[in-house]
mmCIF file of all heavy atoms in Angstrom:
data_model
loop_
_atom_site.group_PDB
_atom_site.id
_atom_site.type_symbol
_atom_site.label_atom_id
_atom_site.label_comp_id
_atom_site.label_asym_id
_atom_site.label_seq_id
_atom_site.Cartn_x
_atom_site.Cartn_y
_atom_site.Cartn_z
ATOM 1 N N ALA A 54 105.376 48.115 64.863
ATOM 2 C CA ALA A 54 104.587 49.355 64.910
ATOM 3 C C ALA A 54 104.682 50.006 66.288
ATOM 4 O O ALA A 54 104.783 51.230 66.403
ATOM 5 C CB ALA A 54 103.134 49.071 64.537
ATOM 6 N N GLU A 55 104.656 49.193 67.340
ATOM 7 C CA GLU A 55 104.798 49.731 68.699
ATOM 8 C C GLU A 55 106.176 50.356 68.899
ATOM 9 O O GLU A 55 106.305 51.407 69.526
ATOM 10 C CB GLU A 55 104.553 48.633 69.730
ATOM 11 C CG GLU A 55 104.784 49.058 71.166
ATOM 12 C CD GLU A 55 103.881 50.200 71.626
ATOM 13 O OE1 GLU A 55 102.822 50.436 71.023
ATOM 14 O OE2 GLU A 55 104.241 50.870 72.615
ATOM 15 N N ALA A 56 107.197 49.725 68.362
ATOM 16 C CA ALA A 56 108.552 50.295 68.452
ATOM 17 C C ALA A 56 108.595 51.663 67.785
ATOM 18 O O ALA A 56 109.166 52.617 68.326
ATOM 19 C CB ALA A 56 109.564 49.355 67.811
ATOM 20 N N HIS A 57 107.969 51.786 66.627
ATOM 21 C CA HIS A 57 107.929 53.080 65.928
ATOM 22 C C HIS A 57 107.141 54.118 66.718
ATOM 23 O O HIS A 57 107.543 55.282 66.790
ATOM 24 C CB HIS A 57 107.345 52.905 64.522
ATOM 25 C CG HIS A 57 108.316 52.351 63.556
ATOM 26 N ND1 HIS A 57 109.250 53.115 62.903
ATOM 27 C CD2 HIS A 57 108.513 51.078 63.146
ATOM 28 C CE1 HIS A 57 109.981 52.347 62.121
ATOM 29 N NE2 HIS A 57 109.560 51.104 62.249
ATOM 30 N N ARG A 58 106.031 53.718 67.309
ATOM 31 C CA ARG A 58 105.246 54.658 68.124
ATOM 32 C C ARG A 58 106.083 55.188 69.286
ATOM 33 O O ARG A 58 106.099 56.385 69.566
ATOM 34 C CB ARG A 58 103.985 53.989 68.662
ATOM 35 C CG ARG A 58 102.819 53.983 67.697
ATOM 36 C CD ARG A 58 101.517 53.564 68.363
ATOM 37 N NE ARG A 58 101.497 52.142 68.709
ATOM 38 C CZ ARG A 58 101.229 51.163 67.861
ATOM 39 N NH1 ARG A 58 100.949 51.440 66.609
ATOM 40 N NH2 ARG A 58 101.228 49.913 68.260
ATOM 41 N N ARG A 59 106.793 54.298 69.957
ATOM 42 C CA ARG A 59 107.613 54.720 71.094
ATOM 43 C C ARG A 59 108.768 55.612 70.638
ATOM 44 O O ARG A 59 109.129 56.565 71.333
ATOM 45 C CB ARG A 59 108.112 53.501 71.858
ATOM 46 C CG ARG A 59 106.970 52.830 72.615
ATOM 47 C CD ARG A 59 107.400 51.697 73.477
ATOM 48 N NE ARG A 59 108.439 52.078 74.430
ATOM 49 C CZ ARG A 59 109.057 51.205 75.220
ATOM 50 N NH1 ARG A 59 108.751 49.923 75.159
ATOM 51 N NH2 ARG A 59 109.986 51.604 76.061
ATOM 52 N N LEU A 60 109.337 55.303 69.491
ATOM 53 C CA LEU A 60 110.413 56.130 68.958
ATOM 54 C C LEU A 60 109.915 57.540 68.652
ATOM 55 O O LEU A 60 110.558 58.535 68.999
ATOM 56 C CB LEU A 60 110.993 55.484 67.699
ATOM 57 C CG LEU A 60 112.131 56.212 67.004
ATOM 58 C CD1 LEU A 60 113.356 56.265 67.910
ATOM 59 C CD2 LEU A 60 112.470 55.529 65.696
ATOM 60 N N GLU A 61 108.753 57.639 68.019
ATOM 61 C CA GLU A 61 108.178 58.938 67.678
ATOM 62 C C GLU A 61 107.758 59.721 68.909
ATOM 63 O O GLU A 61 107.731 60.950 68.888
ATOM 64 C CB GLU A 61 106.995 58.751 66.725
ATOM 65 C CG GLU A 61 107.438 58.290 65.347
ATOM 66 C CD GLU A 61 106.277 57.931 64.440
ATOM 67 O OE1 GLU A 61 105.111 57.944 64.907
ATOM 68 O OE2 GLU A 61 106.533 57.634 63.264
ATOM 69 N N ALA A 62 107.427 59.032 69.998
ATOM 70 C CA ALA A 62 107.024 59.711 71.229
ATOM 71 C C ALA A 62 108.198 60.402 71.914
ATOM 72 O O ALA A 62 108.008 61.242 72.772
ATOM 73 C CB ALA A 62 106.376 58.702 72.185
ATOM 74 N N LYS A 63 109.403 60.041 71.525
ATOM 75 C CA LYS A 63 110.649 60.596 72.087
ATOM 76 C C LYS A 63 110.763 60.284 73.574
ATOM 77 O O LYS A 63 109.934 59.651 74.175
ATOM 78 C CB LYS A 63 110.759 62.085 71.808
ATOM 79 C CG LYS A 63 110.688 62.416 70.323
ATOM 80 C CD LYS A 63 111.288 63.740 70.050
ATOM 81 C CE LYS A 63 111.107 64.207 68.640
ATOM 82 N NZ LYS A 63 111.590 63.432 67.604
ATOM 83 N N GLY A 64 111.831 60.722 74.164
ATOM 84 C CA GLY A 64 112.023 60.541 75.592
ATOM 85 C C GLY A 64 112.693 59.241 75.995
ATOM 86 O O GLY A 64 112.972 59.030 77.161
ATOM 87 N N SER A 65 112.956 58.368 75.021
ATOM 88 C CA SER A 65 113.608 57.112 75.390
ATOM 89 C C SER A 65 115.111 57.317 75.494
ATOM 90 O O SER A 65 115.695 58.177 74.845
ATOM 91 C CB SER A 65 113.314 56.033 74.335
ATOM 92 O OG SER A 65 113.928 56.379 73.126
ATOM 93 N N ARG A 66 115.728 56.520 76.327
ATOM 94 C CA ARG A 66 117.192 56.550 76.459
ATOM 95 C C ARG A 66 117.706 55.224 75.917
ATOM 96 O O ARG A 66 117.688 54.223 76.615
ATOM 97 C CB ARG A 66 117.597 56.764 77.900
ATOM 98 C CG ARG A 66 117.202 58.152 78.402
ATOM 99 C CD ARG A 66 117.733 58.427 79.785
ATOM 100 N NE ARG A 66 119.164 58.276 79.925
ATOM 101 C CZ ARG A 66 120.058 59.242 79.732
ATOM 102 N NH1 ARG A 66 119.669 60.433 79.368
ATOM 103 N NH2 ARG A 66 121.341 59.000 79.915
#
Side-chain angles (χ1 to χ4, degrees):
E55 175 61 21
H57 282 278
R58 276 192 289 279
R59 289 185 55 186
L60 180 65
E61 290 173 355
K63 303 201 187 302
S65 67
R66 293 186 56 89

